[in-house]
RNA sequence: GGGCUUGUAGCCUAGCACGGAUUAAGGUGUCGGCCUUCGGAGCCGGAGAUCGUGGGUUCAAAUCCCACCGAGCCCA
């Protein structure tokens, strides 16, 4: 017999046995959720019920006595995967018949192989996952790197669950910042970069920002000097000083690019005006502006794509915010919103009353909000007539729903309010179905110890730097450990080891927790890291390579050591872990699971011989166990985008 | 001022959605042991925790509820 979820068969059997016993024991009793849980120690069995504690209370008996009586009602003639059911300390413990269960589990894994664990949904959906969406102004930095790693893992998981997943990248090219880089790039004469293009664009952005900011602040200061508002003057001077010191930094770091830009921009009187004009022209779709802004953005995206290729992340669709504006989708949505009772004018500003939507549709409990919390309004149009990011995002979200049933946005949790308002806007537009299937997958920030990352100020560590460093470190390790490998092999290994380590480190922690970036965290090659798991996989492969062919009828009841039982139990739980990760969008539990599995296998490996087992029958059984472990490690790693090597 | 997120050994993390077991689970660092055994990126053992604080609910609280404190972010 084969099962896609062996442990679930045991769980179902245990549940129905317990229900049957309960019916005999207390016929009138209404059963509501008898959730069986895994006991803390395998010696207590593999599933346990704590139902007798509650029953003890209502029956005025000791839980232990209730458990004894209940167990007495259990009919062992129905047992299949169950070996015995015992009462212990008030609990009812279900023990597996490992001889049968090992066979079921290991043969299922061997047969399903690359498909094992990936239980398919009965209700496949079209799902759009928007992730990364870094503005095309500067390279992707460590603070942002958590996003593509999480988004890609989610996509892989939901894909394996049987959904049709589309990965979208939203290119925010409409804001003022895009015009700032474009302005700088234009002043330079629109050259082709002689370095990685997103890094080049990032430098132009930072230097241009700085120069423009200084000109603006100087004007402000001299204006303030005329009227005698000393407090404001002091404030402006402090900010100006800060930018002047950033300018010194930039001058040191990028001397030639700095002087080229300074020469063109330093003497300008009002660069802001040009930038604002460029921005307006771009929004209006003027060909010159289009040509300029798009060429800078494309340059930056070219660099992003190179980085993403390194870590094997790709997108099905690149969505330009500007396309959305030019296609009038934003205007159309605004018109529709205006005709709803939830939009009002506050002077020249157009606002969306999020609170009113939530109250009139009684959405607060559904959204997990307190009744007395008043949701702030969202500004849709500024007094100068321009739209805001979230306004355009409403149109974008509607467009996404025109081609998918579910939308998952992987966006930092600092955007929580905006994402909530966006959801409420969908309700206001009458698209309740969209709103219900709109998910903000929020993750906490990655920060650098000591200072704040700021892309405008050029204070960041790029994702490329992190990857380079990780690969270099891995190269040193490989050279140390396997000096006889060819240069080509060393490079190949250091590549998947370094990149695996980075991916693992960024996915391992619960997304809602803040992470402080340290090199130690990312460059860990020991226990609880991708290289550790990869090594374990290679180790299992190495054993399997040494075995010629194996018979089809192993006697798996010979696997009777506690470690072997724990391994089989762990292997059989992989489908459950996968389902939990898919259902609750928790990619980190996959990393956790595969590390624990590798841990157990390494303990087993040290304690018991496989190839040189006492008998050939035992050897064959352990070989099959090893093969199953290899398969499950490989399948789990695939979900988080980490390569499972045969050798390293 | 309001809201969201977060607080577990020196450091990093798991467990919290769904409350349960003698001993709160890993890693790192630290102390000690294992290379004539299938790959030492390994294994085994020791020391190290008032689960932020205080209340409450419960037979049972790291887990649920309330208040407060610290950190981060968002809105005003």
């Amino acid at each position: 017999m084969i099962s896609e979820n062996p442990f679930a068969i045991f769980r179902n059997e245990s549940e129905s046995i317990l229900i049957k016993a309960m019916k005999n024991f207390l016929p009138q009793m209404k059963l509501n959720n008898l959730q069986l849980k895994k006991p803390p120690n395998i010696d207590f069995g593999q599933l346990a019920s704590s139902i007798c504690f509650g029953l003890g209370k209502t029956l005025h008996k000791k839980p232990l006595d209730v458990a004894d009586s209940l167990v007495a009602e259990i009919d062992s003639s129905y047992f299949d995967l169950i070996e015995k059911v015992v009462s212990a300390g008030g609990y009812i413990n279900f023990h597996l018949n490992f001889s049968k269960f090992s066979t079921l589990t290991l043969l299922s894994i061997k047969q399903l192989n690359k498909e094992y664990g990936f239980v398919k949904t009965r209700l496949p959906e079209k799902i759009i996952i928007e992730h990364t969406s870094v503005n095309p102004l500067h390279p992707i930095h460590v603070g942002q790197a958590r996003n593509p790693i999480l988004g890609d893992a989610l996509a892989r998981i939901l894909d394996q669950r049987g959904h049709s997943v589309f990965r979208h990248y939203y290119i925010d090219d409409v804001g003022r910042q895009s015009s700032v880089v474009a302005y700088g790039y234009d002043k330079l004469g629109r050259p082709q970069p002689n370095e990685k293009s997103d890094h080049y664009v990032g430098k132009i952005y930072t230097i241009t920002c700085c120069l423009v900011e200084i000109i603006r602040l100087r004007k402000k200061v001299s204006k303030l000097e005329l009227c005698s508002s000393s407090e404001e003057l002091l404030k402006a001077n402090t900010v100006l000083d800060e930018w002047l010191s950033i300018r010194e930094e930039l001058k040191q770091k990028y001397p030639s690019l700095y002087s080229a830009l300074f020469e063109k921009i330093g003497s300008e009187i009002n660069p802001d005006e040009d930038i604002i004009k460029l921005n307006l022209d771009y929004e209006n779709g003027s060909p010159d502006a289009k040509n300029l802004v798009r060429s800078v953005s494309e340059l930056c995206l070219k660099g992003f794509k190179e980085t993403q290729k390194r870590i094997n992340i790709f997108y099905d669709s690149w969505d330009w915010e500007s396309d959305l504006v030019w296609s009038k989708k934003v205007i159309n949505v605004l018109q529709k919103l205006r005709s709803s009772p939830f939009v009002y004018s506050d002077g020249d500003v157009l606002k969306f009353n999020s609170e009113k939507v939530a109250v009139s549709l009684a959405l607060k409990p559904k959204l997990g909000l307190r009744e007395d919390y008043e949701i702030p309004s969202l500004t849709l149009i500024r007094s100068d007539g321009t739209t805001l990011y979230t306004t355009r995002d409403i149109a974008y979200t509607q467009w996404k729903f025109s081609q998918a049933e579910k939308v998952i946005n992987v966006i930092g949790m600092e955007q929580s309010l905006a994402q909530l308002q966006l959801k409420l806007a969908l309700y206001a537009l009458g698209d309740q179905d969209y709103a219900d299937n709109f998910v903000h997958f929020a993750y906490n920030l990655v920060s650098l110890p000591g200072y704040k990352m700021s892309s405008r100020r050029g204070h960041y560590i790029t994702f490329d730097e992190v990857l380079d460093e990780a690969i270099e470190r891995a190269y040193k390790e490989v050279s140390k450990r396997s000096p006889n490998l060819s240069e080509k092999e060393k490079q190949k290994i250091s590549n998947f080891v370094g990149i695996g380590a980075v991916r693992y480190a960024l996915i391992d922690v619960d997304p809602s927790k803040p992470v402080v970036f340290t090199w130690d965290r990312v460059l860990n090659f020991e226990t609880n890291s991708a290289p550790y798991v990869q090594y374990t996989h290679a180790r299992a492969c190495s054993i399997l390579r040494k075995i010629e062919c194996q018979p089809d009828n192993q006697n798996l009841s010979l696997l009777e050591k506690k470690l072997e039982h724990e391994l089989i139990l762990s292997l059989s739980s992989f489908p459950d872990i996968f389902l939990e990760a898919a259902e609750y969008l928790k990619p980190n539990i996959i990393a956790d699971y595969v590390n624990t599995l590798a841990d157990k296998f390494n303990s087993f490996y040290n304690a018991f011989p496989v190839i040189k087992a006492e008998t050939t029958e035992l050897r064959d059984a352990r070989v099959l166990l090893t093969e199953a472990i290899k398969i499950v490690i490989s399948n789990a790693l695939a979900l988080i985008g980490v390569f499972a090597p045969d050798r390293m």
Side-chain angles (χ1 to χ4, degrees):
Chain A
M1 197 175 82
I2 293 297
S3 164
E4 61 173 3
N5 190 349
F7 194 76
I9 297 193
F10 170 60
R11 187 172 42 236
N12 291 340
E13 186 182 327
S14 303
E15 272 171 12
S16 63
I17 294 267
L18 184 60
I19 289 170
K20 224 171 266 167
M22 279 293 287
K23 274 188 187 148
N24 291 338
F25 182 52
L26 294 166
Q28 312 86 332
M29 189 68 149
K30 245 183 142 182
L31 283 178
N32 40 11
N33 87 339
L34 39 93
Q35 289 241 331
L36 300 181
K37 298 235 168 167
K38 289 193 181 178
N41 189 319
I42 192 171
D43 296 332
F44 294 129
Q46 289 68 44
L47 277 175
S49 166
S50 55
I51 193 169
C52 299
F53 291 92
L55 289 177
K57 177 102 163 100
T58 42
L59 300 174
H60 303 289
K61 283 184 186 161
K62 281 186 189 159
L64 188 70
D65 296 339
V66 181
D68 284 342
S69 324
L70 192 50
V71 166
E73 295 292 340
I74 284 174
D75 184 352
S76 65
S77 62
Y78 289 102
F79 288 0
D80 179 25
L81 288 177
I82 296 174
E83 180 175 272
K84 58 180 178 180
V85 182
V86 299
S87 145
Y91 293 89
I92 295 175
N93 292 337
F94 296 81
H95 292 256
L96 267 169
N97 177 334
F98 266 102
S99 155
K100 280 189 184 172
F101 189 67
S102 303
T103 309
L104 173 69
T105 302
L106 297 183
L107 292 184
S108 297
I109 294 171
K110 186 172 175 151
Q111 179 137 354
L112 295 171
N113 207 314
K114 292 268 165 235
E115 284 302 309
Y116 176 71
F118 306 144
V119 181
K120 301 296 180 220
T121 177
R122 265 180 254 161
L123 301 166
E125 288 179 301
K126 282 186 192 160
I127 302 177
I128 286 180
I129 297 185
E130 182 207 319
H131 70 84
T132 316
S133 303
V134 171
N135 294 358
L137 307 169
H138 51 74
I140 300 173
H141 59 71
V142 260
Q144 299 162 323
R146 204 177 186 180
N147 190 315
I149 303 294
L150 285 168
D152 184 64
L154 283 178
R156 286 167 188 266
I157 290 167
L158 293 174
D159 195 41
Q160 286 292 8
R161 183 81 174 104
H163 297 292
S164 301
V165 178
F166 303 92
R167 303 145 204 242
H168 284 232
Y169 190 113
Y170 187 43
I171 307 159
D172 175 16
D173 59 335
V174 172
R176 190 193 117 94
Q177 330 90 308
S178 290
S179 297
V180 173
V181 223
Y183 173 81
Y185 184 62
D186 188 41
K187 288 284 180 193
L188 285 172
R190 311 189 186 190
Q192 277 305 307
N194 49 13
E195 61 179 314
K196 191 158 178 288
S197 55
D198 51 337
H199 292 232
Y200 181 63
V201 171
K203 288 171 193 171
I204 298 177
Y205 176 61
T206 307
I207 298 170
T208 309
C209 257
C210 180
L211 293 175
V212 169
E213 202 61 16
I214 286 170
I215 294 170
R216 193 182 64 82
L217 285 164
R218 280 201 169 132
K219 260 196 276 180
K220 191 176 174 187
V221 166
S222 47
K223 215 182 198 174
L224 287 169
E225 273 166 346
L226 292 177
C227 48
S228 53
S229 155
S230 60
E231 200 177 308
E232 268 188 71
L233 180 62
L234 194 72
K235 229 173 167 179
N237 265 317
T238 316
V239 182
L240 178 58
D241 284 346
E242 199 198 325
W243 279 106
L244 286 171
S245 78
I246 290 168
R247 190 176 72 169
E248 282 313 301
E249 267 175 49
L250 295 171
K251 218 169 168 175
Q252 299 288 326
K253 262 167 55 184
Y254 319 117
S256 61
L257 189 61
Y258 174 83
S259 60
L261 277 164
F262 183 74
E263 196 184 304
K264 300 285 184 187
I265 300 173
S267 54
E268 287 287 326
I269 298 162
N270 201 346
D272 257 334
E273 203 171 87
D274 293 347
I275 289 167
I276 288 167
K277 181 171 182 304
L278 178 59
N279 192 24
L280 265 174
D281 286 350
Y282 188 56
E283 281 205 38
N284 293 329
S286 112
D288 284 349
K290 252 170 131 167
N291 192 357
L292 174 60
V293 176
R294 280 277 169 126
S295 67
V296 189
S297 302
E298 293 277 13
L299 215 51
C300 203
L301 292 177
K302 185 171 158 254
F304 289 173
K305 285 174 188 170
E306 285 165 23
T307 305
Q308 285 148 4
K309 198 175 168 198
R310 296 177 80 182
I311 51 175
N312 196 20
I313 287 179
F314 63 91
Y315 301 84
D316 299 294
S317 177
W318 296 78
D319 308 333
W320 293 84
E321 190 172 13
S322 48
D323 280 340
L324 210 69
V325 173
W326 300 336
S327 72
K328 309 283 179 233
K329 285 199 173 69
V330 178
I331 290 176
N332 292 344
V333 163
L334 274 169
Q335 255 168 12
K336 219 172 150 191
L337 270 174
R338 259 188 231 266
S339 63
S340 80
F342 306 112
V343 169
Y344 63 98
S345 297
D346 184 2
D348 295 340
V349 176
L350 191 72
K351 289 192 170 181
F352 168 65
N353 193 337
S354 323
E355 171 69 9
K356 197 172 168 189
V357 180
V359 169
S360 66
L361 299 174
L363 293 168
K364 283 190 187 177
K366 189 169 162 182
L367 298 172
L369 301 167
R370 289 178 173 221
E371 287 296 348
D372 56 357
Y373 166 57
E374 192 179 327
I375 307 167
S377 289
L378 169 73
T379 300
L380 294 168
I381 301 182
R382 293 192 193 89
S383 55
D384 64 4
T386 55
T387 54
L388 279 94
Y389 180 85
T390 308
T391 313
R392 291 172 240 134
D393 208 2
I394 297 170
Y396 180 43
T397 307
Q398 280 208 319
W399 176 79
K400 285 194 263 190
F401 274 110
S402 71
Q403 41 200 314
E405 288 128 19
K406 188 167 185 172
V407 169
I408 299 174
N409 286 348
V410 181
I411 297 178
M413 48 160 288
E414 71 277 5
Q415 294 291 328
S416 293
L417 178 59
Q419 291 284 304
L420 173 66
Q421 289 166 328
L422 172 45
K423 186 176 227 181
L424 288 166
L426 295 175
Y427 282 113
L429 286 163
D431 299 322
Q432 192 192 325
D433 198 36
Y434 294 180
D436 289 341
N437 287 293
F438 175 80
V439 178
H440 175 205
F441 181 87
Y443 62 93
N444 218 314
L445 294 171
V446 177
S447 55
L448 289 176
Y451 67 97
K452 256 188 103 144
M453 250 179 287
S454 162
S455 36
R456 219 159 60 107
R457 293 174 167 80
H459 291 170
Y460 50 78
I461 298 177
T462 67
F463 194 22
D464 285 316
E465 278 174 79
V466 174
L467 296 174
D468 291 343
E469 181 77 26
I471 292 168
E472 201 182 308
R473 221 342 250 289
Y475 184 83
K476 279 184 194 151
E477 293 287 324
V478 180
S479 309
K480 202 168 73 194
R481 293 170 207 275
S482 339
N484 299 327
L485 288 174
S486 73
E487 187 58 27
K488 206 177 159 191
E489 271 177 305
K490 279 186 202 165
Q491 275 175 11
K492 187 185 156 210
I493 293 167
S494 44
N495 204 54
F496 67 65
V497 165
I499 283 165
V502 173
R503 282 189 87 129
Y504 188 98
L506 291 175
I507 215 170
D508 175 44
V509 181
D510 186 317
S512 69
K513 305 228 177 184
V515 163
V516 177
F517 176 86
T518 55
W519 287 103
D520 276 357
R521 182 191 282 276
V522 176
L523 299 182
N524 174 27
F525 292 178
E526 292 172 15
T527 311
N528 199 7
S529 73
Y532 172 71
V533 179
Q534 288 172 317
Y535 181 79
T536 310
H537 183 265
R539 189 178 239 184
C541 289
S542 167
I543 293 175
L544 296 170
R545 236 179 280 135
K546 296 198 166 84
I547 297 293
E548 312 81 56
C549 59
Q550 38 169 318
D552 285 333
N553 296 313
Q554 290 93 341
N555 179 3
L556 298 173
S557 61
L558 294 171
L559 301 172
E560 47 190 12
K561 303 280 192 223
K562 189 174 173 184
L563 268 171
E564 290 167 334
H565 284 178
E566 282 179 353
L567 275 168
I568 287 161
L569 198 60
S570 187
L571 291 170
S572 73
S573 305
F574 180 53
D576 274 357
I577 299 287
F578 169 74
L579 286 169
E580 190 185 338
E583 186 74 7
Y584 297 101
L585 305 181
K586 285 165 70 170
N588 54 310
I589 68 171
I590 301 288
D592 236 47
Y593 168 80
V594 75
N595 180 61
T596 308
L597 181 62
D599 245 350
K600 286 203 178 101
F601 178 67
N602 282 322
S603 296
F604 164 76
Y605 173 90
N606 260 269
F608 308 109
V610 176
I611 296 171
K612 292 177 185 163
E614 291 87 328
T615 63
T616 27
E617 289 79 18
L618 183 60
R619 185 198 67 186
D620 291 342
R622 284 187 179 156
V623 167
L624 186 62
L625 177 61
T626 305
E627 195 181 354
I629 286 158
K630 185 206 111 152
I631 291 169
V632 174
I633 288 181
S634 161
N635 287 2
L637 285 181
L639 291 176
I640 55 174
V642 173
F643 179 68
D646 289 355
R647 299 167 202 265
M648 66 184 268

